[in-house]
Amino acid sequence: MKKLLLPLIVVTLLFSACTNDKNQNKKTMDNPFYSEFTTPFGTPDFRIIKEEHFAPAIKKGIEEQNEEIEAIINNAEIADFDNTIAALDYSGALLDKTTSVFYNLLEANTNDTIQAIARELAPILSAHSDDISMNEKLFKRIKTVYQQKDKLQLSPEQNTLLEETFKSFVRGGANLSEADKEELKKINGELSLLSLKFGENQLAETNNYSLVIENEKDLAGLPEAVINAAVDAAKERGMDGKWVFTLHKPSLIPFIQYADNRDLREKLFKAYTMRCSNGNENDNREVLAKMAALRYQRAKLMGFENHAAFVLDENMAKKPENVYHRLNELMDAALPMAAEEAEVLQNKINQEGNTFKLEPWDWWYYAEKVRKEKYNLDDEALRPYFELEHVKNGLFDVVHKLYGLQIEERTDIPVYQDDVKVYEIKEANGDHIGIVFMDFYTRPEKGSGAWMDAFRKQMKKDGKNISPVIINCFNFTKPAAGKPALLNMDEVTTLFHEFGHGLHGLLSDCTYPELSGTSVARDFVELPSQILENWATQPEVMKSYAKHYETGEVIPDKLINKIEESSHFNQGFTMVEYLSAALLDMDWHTIESADLQDADAFEAASMKKMQMPAEVVVRYRSPYFSHIFNGGYSSGYYSYVWAEILDADAFEAFKENGIFDQKTAKAFRENILEKGGSEDPMQLYIRFRGKDASLEPLLKRKGIIKG
């Protein structure tokens, strides 16, 4: 019997193997990433993309790119720009196609399975990137081309790609010893996993907390729309008859701005500011300390004093001391303004017969009271005029007037979530430019904040223009069924801001993917987004979109005037809150040892050094500062104010010539929006403006100097 059993098992195993092979082949054939999407304009086909497709396609993409790199290395022809630099830039098409979809879903519509796949892939992708950057034979060919760059008669874009490719290999460890290369690989692998962990912890911690109110008296002061949203949030959790407030900004901010119950304001505010530092499984303090130490080690390995020096070497700012100088210069102006504002708020507290000292959870509440008293302007009174569809149409009208763009909703393009809207962008003559997915509402599966990314970057290949597919994500409160979504003023400017990034990706006119769209210096990338915010508050623009959602009444001139009059209100607080975060980022990344820092003590020392007022909390405390620990802004959060100098100066050109002046808009499109990272950003700016940027327009905007 035993002799007969063995062959039977073998046959069974062979049959099973054949069946598995057939199933595997079928899965391979069925993987939608292995062929062109049949959707309009080749957008990701979310009807057929499934979670199980990602890992196999990414691994296959790595294999294909490795084969392409081997072909570059083994090319018998002498290394030149086309067969080495351009060939490398165009390599990895399947990998790019798959990762662009996967990582956008990881941020916008994640789940446990997607997060598990991300953890599995992080070290694999990190190792793959390192293997390319440290490939000696490949770097030898790149160096051959680089050493003869002055003789090659390259276009400006080609020259930039050559410079950036050579520099990226050097920065990726190509010149390191074998031992140091192995150390760098280890550091990069650890950082990739820690960054994922940081983001997962933050999302979980944000979603896990809710303030449940059972007594209607505790809702005193809250606007009706805010209360209704809390009712909906409670119903979603099966808590009928109660009210739920969360740590998502659309829920948090109105509560601390309007709720009369001071104890509950404190409770919700502290829950927000203590995220990921509560000693539970979502605590990020050790994670971020390890990241800062590893980044320091990597920078030293690469010959830099610290991580900030390593990062800024590629940015407009160039050196940490330049960033510190500008930030401290502005902080010196902001601190006295914030102190004056705090005094006004304390006086308001005292006038009401209270004896407590102004605390951070009081600032928003009393600032709103003072603003209403001083300017007779209530933020919630504006909300009925800012219906999402109207604001969006007003935004589209602005870009039409500036650049002649036509924007048309497409209902025939698959989406990854029912709330997502898709729009086709066309030139004035009807020529296709690109596609933008707009994901408006907050949900547990989505990261916090607002951002822009791409499912496909614009490029030119084999004589054909590859049109971009862009994604804009927001976190607006989803309205109740049958009700419109109403925005506040900050959310209006956020909509304009992110679409400005979108235009940077959509209007890109570059040849090489490495340089197209938003692939620019970190302290330049915010210029296209921040300048578009300026149009949101221009009176003639506001009248085009600010219409009362019930009556259709256009926003009255007196309300527009109040918005303008109050534009400098609370600017000290706003600047200190932001600048403290930018300085905290710089402090974390100019540490002078690889010793693990106590995150709480480090942050406290940083706040003390910058003389942070006790009444203000840094915009992002370290344990949930995702920009720098789970995003691309490490040593770069300063870039918002750096770019704000540019955008304030650039908008002066429009004000001088007319905010819809076609010549100025054409110059901005051709010199900024279309160029991506193809040329030096300062040269691009000077070509547009005719001069370097002046600080004065920003100082006037902030109310630091009169204008």
Side-chain angles (χ1 to χ4, degrees), residues 110 112 115 196-210 247-248 275-276 278 280-284 444-448:
T110 195
D112 291 343
Q115 290 178 352
L196 278 176
K197 180 64 175 170
F198 187 98
E200 289 175 6
N201 287 348
Q202 183 179 348
L203 182 62
E205 190 85 338
T206 302
N207 287 335
N208 286 350
Y209 180 88
S210 58
L247 301 183
H248 295 283
R275 284 181 300 161
C276 302
N278 292 307
N280 57 22
E281 67 274 13
N282 298 322
D283 199 304
N284 268 334
E445 302 82 12
K446 185 196 275 188
S448 59

Side-chain angles (χ1 to χ4, degrees), residues 529-628:
S529 57
Q530 290 180 185
I531 192 172
L532 197 59
E533 290 182 35
N534 289 279
W535 277 270
T537 53
Q538 295 301 302
E540 64 181 281
V541 175
M542 291 193 79
K543 288 186 175 184
S544 75
Y545 70 76
K547 300 171 184 176
H548 199 284
Y549 80 100
E550 290 179 320
T551 67
E553 175 200 16
V554 175
I555 189 169
D557 288 335
K558 64 179 181 180
L559 268 182
I560 295 177
N561 292 336
K562 287 176 184 178
I563 293 171
E564 174 60 29
E565 290 168 2
S566 66
S567 62
H568 295 158
F569 177 72
N570 212 36
Q571 276 297 307
F573 168 84
T574 302
M575 290 175 65
V576 167
E577 188 196 40
Y578 162 76
L579 292 168
S580 58
L583 285 164
L584 178 62
D585 169 29
M586 292 300 297
D587 286 350
W588 271 116
H589 295 115
T590 51
I591 57 175
E592 297 179 348
S593 81
D595 295 337
L596 287 186
Q597 304 290 324
D598 179 305
D600 292 335
F602 184 92
E603 184 179 295
S606 178
M607 295 299 111
K608 184 178 180 180
K609 181 176 66 174
M610 66 183 77
Q611 300 178 4
M612 186 71 168
E615 303 88 351
V616 184
V617 172
V618 59
R619 180 173 293 181
Y620 299 108
R621 291 196 58 238
S622 304
Y624 54 87
F625 201 165
S626 60
H627 284 77
I628 67 172

Side-chain angles (χ1 to χ4, degrees), residues 182-225:
E182 289 305 310
E183 179 66 16
L184 182 58
K185 288 179 182 180
K186 181 183 175 184
I187 290 172
N188 288 339
E190 287 185 61
L191 282 169
S192 67
L193 285 171
L194 287 168
S195 178
L196 278 176
K197 180 64 175 170
F198 187 98
E200 289 175 6
N201 287 348
Q202 183 179 348
L203 182 62
E205 190 85 338
T206 302
N207 287 335
N208 286 350
Y209 180 88
S210 58
L211 174 65
V212 181
I213 292 179
E214 300 183 9
N215 190 336
E216 192 169 1
K217 292 180 180 179
D218 291 330
L219 302 172
L222 292 172
E224 182 182 356

Side-chain angles (χ1 to χ4, degrees), residues 214-465:
E214 300 183 9
N215 190 336
E216 192 169 1
K217 292 180 180 179
D218 291 330
L219 302 172
L222 292 172
E224 182 182 356
V226 176
I227 294 173
N228 291 339
V231 169
D232 292 337
K235 286 180 179 177
E236 288 174 5
R237 292 162 172 78
M239 298 181 181
D240 287 7
K242 299 179 182 179
W243 298 266
V244 168
F245 295 88
T246 71
L247 301 183
H248 295 283
K249 286 288 184 74
S251 181
L252 168 82
I253 298 300
F255 193 89
I256 61 174
Q257 197 168 10
Y258 293 104
D260 292 337
N261 190 317
R262 186 173 186 245
D263 290 339
L264 290 180
R265 290 203 312 272
E266 178 182 1
K267 186 175 182 180
L268 190 62
F269 185 84
K270 284 185 173 178
Y272 177 80
T273 57
M274 289 300 293
R275 284 181 300 161
C276 302
S277 57
N278 292 307
N280 57 22
E281 67 274 13
N282 298 322
D283 199 304
N284 268 334
R285 288 173 293 184
E286 187 176 338
V287 174
L288 70 91
K290 286 180 180 177
M291 291 185 72
L294 287 168
R295 285 169 174 174
Y296 169 80
Q297 291 176 41
R298 182 173 60 185
K300 295 296 285 186
L301 205 59
M302 301 306 300
F304 290 85
E305 283 299 305
N306 49 56
H307 179 71
F310 176 64
V311 169
L312 295 172
D313 187 55
E314 286 202 303
N315 286 1
M316 295 174 75
K318 297 304 179 190
K319 296 180 180 180
E321 50 264 37
N322 295 337
V323 175
Y324 272 116
H325 173 74
R326 183 49 52 84
L327 293 178
N328 286 325
E329 183 180 36
L330 291 169
M331 188 64 122
D332 288 344
L335 284 171
M337 293 172 65
E340 290 177 9
E341 292 165 3
E343 187 177 352
V344 170
L345 300 187
Q346 186 65 61
N347 289 338
K348 182 64 178 174
I349 291 170
N350 298 341
Q351 286 169 13
E352 292 185 346
N354 297 304
T355 58
F356 58 80
K357 182 182 177 297
L358 176 70
E359 296 286 357
W361 49 89
D362 297 316
W363 193 294
W364 289 77
Y365 178 76
Y366 283 98
E368 185 62 26
K369 282 194 168 190
V370 170
R371 183 170 72 147
K372 189 173 182 179
E373 187 177 89
K374 187 173 182 179
Y375 301 102
N376 193 23
L377 182 64
D378 181 352
D379 198 36
E380 284 301 305
L382 293 174
R383 197 182 284 269
Y385 292 97
F386 298 149
E387 195 269 312
L388 175 57
E389 281 298 307
H390 289 160
V391 178
K392 182 196 68 186
N393 291 336
L395 165 64
F396 290 172
D397 185 54
V398 166
V399 299
H400 173 70
K401 288 179 178 177
L402 286 170
Y403 308 114
L405 304 183
Q406 301 180 50
I407 303 178
E408 173 188 328
E409 184 173 358
R410 298 292 300 247
T411 57
D412 56 340
I413 291 177
V415 294
Y416 57 85
Q417 213 276 344
D418 290 344
D419 291 332
V420 177
K421 303 287 187 183
V422 184
Y423 301 89
E424 181 185 2
I425 315 298
K426 302 177 184 178
E427 295 282 12
N429 64 5
D431 288 350
H432 175 75
I433 293 176
I435 295 293
V436 59
F437 286 67
M438 300 188 80
D439 186 345
F440 294 113
Y441 303 121
T442 188
R443 56 180 175 270
E445 302 82 12
K446 185 196 275 188
S448 59
W451 65 91
M452 166 267 180
D453 210 320
F455 286 120
R456 182 177 69 218
K457 296 179 68 176
Q458 178 273 333
M459 69 184 85
K460 296 172 185 174
K461 189 176 182 183
D462 301 326
K464 179 184 176 183
N465 183 64

Side-chain angles (χ1 to χ4, degrees), residues 505-536:
L506 288 162
L507 298 182
S508 173
D509 188 22
C510 298
T511 300
Y512 305 105
E514 180 67 22
L515 303 176
S516 75
T518 57
S519 300
V520 301
R522 179 62 68 187
D523 45 12
F524 191 67
V525 75
E526 297 298 333
L527 169 59
S529 57
Q530 290 180 185
I531 192 172
L532 197 59
E533 290 182 35
N534 289 279
W535 277 270

